[in-house]
Amino acid sequence: MNRKTLVLPAVVGLLAPVLAACGGSDAAGDAIVVGTTDQFSASADTPAPFDPAIAYDAGIWNVLRQTVQTLTHIPRGGGEPVPEAAESCAFTDTENESYRCTLRDGLTFADGTPVTPEDVKYSIQRVLDIKDEAGPVGLLANIDTIETKGENQVVFHLRTSDATFPYKLATPPAGIVQKDKYPAKTPREGFQVDGSGPYTMKPEVKDDQVVKLVFTKNPKYKGDLKILNNEVEMTPFPDAEAMGKALDDKKIDMMTRTMSPEQAQEMLAEPKDGIKLTEMPGLAISYLGFNTEDPVVKDKAVRQAIAQVINRGSIASKVYGSTAEPLFSLIPSGITNHTNSFFNKYGDPDVSKAAKTLDKAGIDTPVKFTLHYTTDHYGPATKAEFELLAKQLNASGLFEVKAEGTPWAKYRPAQSKGEYAVYGMGWFPDFPDPDTYTAPFLDKDNFLNSPYASAAIQNTLIPQSRREADRSAAAETFAKIQNIVAEDVPLLPVWQGKQYVASLDELTGVEWAVTSSADLQLWELGRGTAS
């Protein structure tokens, strides 16, 4: 039958759970096959793509989540983090500066080696020690010391209050790894991943490129997750069109990251026989980043003029249709403490206002620069998006811009080294909280390796926001952060996306297998009838 399914799981803290499906039957032999357009490769610049101390990419995190266990995790349907590898976790002081976890009894790695508090300490300390400049160290940088107590307890002493710390312990960089397989001071090269998570993983690699990942249920797993299948295969495809054809031919059971906007809109208009389309809330954003030390964009007047000229609505509608909407803040709608700070400052696109801004600052026009984007990381519409952005800027007469695409394997190292004055990036949240849309970009040791630094944000506002266990109580603080970003424009938000997943009718658990934060949870998938 023709079938279109629109399912909206809960966004943490905002929506009540709307489904209580318990998943389908066990896979009973046949592997569930999921497709992805994420590419996993190793190179001289990225020799250790799957090391939790290095990886800071949604696609790779989705591999690590299946294999490397964390102390806490976000429960099905959303909410505050709950114990995973731990039996219990809690702050032990009123200032949210000391966090204690007790490990589950009998916890082992997949090879049977016991998991100890020392392993937890070792795993997280190596992220801090390796301190990869493009890695996730910023998530854990507030840890002062890690203390082990007895046979099953670990205590994290934080430098400053951080009510979001339980969320950070649920992210892959806080994953528990084995000392004999992961060096203390250097990354583990290659594609192998070992942990105590719900699956073991076997990579199939050709010419330093992953062609298949096979996830097999870990019989030694002890944790909070219920695993509804025995085996899942993940197959990378060169583009969304190839992945879609594989689904049509029933060579895969589900399309994950990333369907094209055209595919989603076609399936919404004309459902395909035997295939269901599931829509989820999306918390992913797209934005422009600036190397604020580059001579072309060092003067914030140039960045403000770009913010004044671009037409987000046109980009969202012409390139992404119903799958995206304009975004006027780093914190997207659907997340607590969102404000439309850029619209409040700049209003609708206005070339004359942009011209006055540049003239007042003594900037000669047209301002010339290259608008960089990645060709193979955020989906097939990226090229059209950046060509339209360049067209908008050039049409103003104030800029002379060309759009230039580069594969992600070269793009990300070049961006983090400061080689691009203006560049496009996407962001999938580390966890559903306003902190993850601000600190990774604006704090010390930030994800972008950006030279931009606001003393007010780094020294006062971010620490202040983290003292609030009630996240809505930090509204004024986050409003100030968003207003500073709109004034200084170290980053320029463009759009916020929706998520669509296409799958065969017989596949169950799809609505739980991808969260609003784009986290992939393969253990939720099964075959048969959902109950």
Side-chain angles (χ1 to χ4, degrees):
M1 67 177 172
N2 288 338
R3 187 169 164 200
K4 177 178 71 177
T5 304
L6 298 182
V7 181
L8 301 176
V11 178
V12 175
L14 300 172
L15 302 175
V18 297
L19 275 181
C22 64
S25 60
D26 201 333
D30 291 337
I32 293 170
V33 184
V34 302
T36 180
T37 56
D38 286 317
Q39 303 298 311
F40 310 112
S41 60
S43 66
D45 287 323
T46 57
F50 285 173
D51 190 320
I54 304 298
Y56 207 176
D57 170 86
I60 294 176
W61 272 24
N62 280 337
V63 173
L64 295 176
R65 288 183 191 280
Q66 321 309 315
T67 49
V68 179
Q69 196 174 19
T70 50
L71 290 170
T72 63
H73 79 108
I74 307 297
R76 178 200 251 196
E80 295 182 359
V82 297
E84 212 306 66
E87 180 181 277
S88 63
C89 287
F91 282 107
T92 59
D93 65 330
T94 57
E95 298 300 317
N96 295 332
E97 291 181 349
S98 182
Y99 194 74
R100 178 178 298 186
C101 290
T102 301
L103 296 182
R104 293 179 184 271
D105 290 338
L107 200 67
T108 70
F109 291 105
D111 66 2
T113 304
V115 175
T116 69
E118 287 295 333
D119 291 314
V120 177
K121 178 179 179 178
Y122 176 86
S123 301
I124 294 178
Q125 188 61 53
R126 70 182 293 272
V127 178
L128 300 173
D129 291 342
I130 291 173
K131 199 177 181 180
D132 185 76
E133 65 178 17
V137 65
L139 281 168
L140 304 175
N142 193 33
I143 296 174
D144 186 17
T145 59
I146 306 172
E147 177 186 6
T148 59
K149 289 193 171 187
E151 297 181 355
N152 63 356
Q153 289 191 343
V154 58
V155 183
F156 300 92
H157 300 286
L158 308 182
R159 291 188 173 89
T160 59
S161 300
D162 188 1
T164 71
F165 189 67
Y167 288 96
K168 294 170 181 175
L169 285 184
T171 63
I176 308 167
V177 300
Q178 291 174 266
K179 295 179 183 179
D180 60 343
K181 296 179 179 178
Y182 289 82
K185 304 292 185 181
T186 57
R188 179 185 183 179
E189 298 186 2
F191 297 101
Q192 190 56 52
V193 181
D194 295 281
S196 55
Y199 296 96
T200 59
M201 188 273 282
K202 180 180 179 181
E204 295 184 16
V205 180
K206 182 178 180 181
D207 298 328
D208 292 325
Q209 186 92 12
V210 168
V211 295
K212 182 189 292 185
L213 297 172
V214 180
F215 298 94
T216 303
K217 184 177 180 179
N218 175 11
K220 297 185 183 297
Y221 169 73
K222 289 187 177 181
D224 191 52
L225 306 175
K226 182 179 180 182
I227 308 167
L228 300 177
N229 56 66
N230 290 326
E231 186 172 286
V232 181
E233 294 179 1
M234 180 182 289
T235 302
F237 288 88
D239 51 48
E241 183 179 357
M243 182 170 59
K245 186 177 187 306
L247 183 67
D248 290 342
D249 295 340
K250 294 182 170 52
K251 292 181 179 179
I252 63 175
D253 296 288
M254 184 173 86
M255 298 168 65
T256 57
R257 287 167 36 103
T258 304
M259 292 180 63
S260 71
E262 292 80 10
Q263 286 174 320
Q265 292 186 77
E266 286 175 9
M267 292 183 68
L268 284 167
E270 297 183 20
K272 295 184 177 181
D273 189 40
I275 294 175
K276 60 186 176 184
L277 185 68
T278 305
E279 177 188 336
M280 297 103 161
L283 298 178
I285 68 171
S286 177
Y287 63 94
L288 296 181
F290 299 94
N291 177 355
T292 54
E293 289 185 349
D294 189 285
V296 177
V297 294
K298 186 172 184 178
D299 193 316
K300 74 177 181 181
V302 176
R303 308 193 299 269
Q304 290 175 332
I306 295 172
Q308 186 71 74
V309 165
I310 70 165
N311 188 327
R312 296 169 175 82
S314 177
I315 293 165
S317 62
K318 291 183 179 180
V319 179
Y320 295 97
S322 62
T323 66
E325 59 185 12
L327 179 64
F328 294 92
S329 170
L330 282 179
I331 301 173
S333 61
I335 288 289
T336 304
N337 303 326
H338 160 82
T339 67
N340 287 318
S341 54
F342 273 82
F343 187 82
N344 294 340
K345 180 170 178 59
Y346 300 99
D348 293 323
D350 192 317
V351 173
S352 63
K353 287 183 180 179
K356 290 178 182 178
T357 298
L358 293 171
D359 183 62
K360 184 177 180 180
I363 305 294
D364 293 330
T365 58
V367 178
K368 300 179 181 180
F369 62 87
T370 298
L371 187 59
H372 293 273
Y373 67 93
T374 178
T375 56
D376 58 353
H377 197 66
Y378 298 120
T382 307
K383 183 175 186 289
E385 175 187 347
F386 281 83
E387 288 177 345
L388 182 53
L389 271 169
K391 184 178 179 180
Q392 289 181 356
L393 292 168
N394 290 336
S396 72
L398 303 175
F399 301 96
E400 188 175 315
V401 178
K402 66 175 182 177
E404 183 175 298
T406 305
W408 181 254
K410 294 182 179 179
Y411 182 86
R412 174 66 171 130
Q415 176 275 316
S416 64
K417 292 174 184 175
E419 295 178 12
Y420 301 150
V422 188
Y423 53 89
M425 295 286 279
W427 183 250
F428 295 86
D430 300 327
F431 48 89
D433 184 272
D435 184 87
T436 197
Y437 291 96
T438 50
F441 308 119
L442 305 170
D443 209 352
K444 303 176 182 70
D445 298 319
N446 63 75
F447 159 73
L448 295 171
N449 198 29
S450 170
Y452 173 78
S454 163
I457 290 176
Q458 291 183 354
N459 300 333
T460 302
L461 297 175
I462 288 178
Q464 186 173 303
S465 74
R466 290 173 173 170
R467 286 194 287 270
E468 300 290 353
D470 176 2
R471 303 308 286 151
S472 62
E476 184 177 349
T477 302
F478 280 112
K480 290 178 180 178
I481 292 174
Q482 291 168 89
N483 289 339
I484 291 172
V485 172
E487 171 66 28
D488 292 351
V489 201
L491 303 153
L492 179 56
V494 180
W495 56 263
Q496 173 182 350
K498 294 180 182 178
Q499 292 187 98
Y500 291 92
V501 176
S503 61
L504 300 183
D505 273 345
E506 67 183 54
L507 198 65
T508 60
V510 175
E511 66 273 16
W512 301 110
V514 183
T515 72
S516 60
S517 299
D519 301 338
L520 188 60
Q521 301 179 152
L522 296 179
W523 54 84
E524 295 282 4
L525 297 174
R527 298 188 193 277
T529 303
S531 59

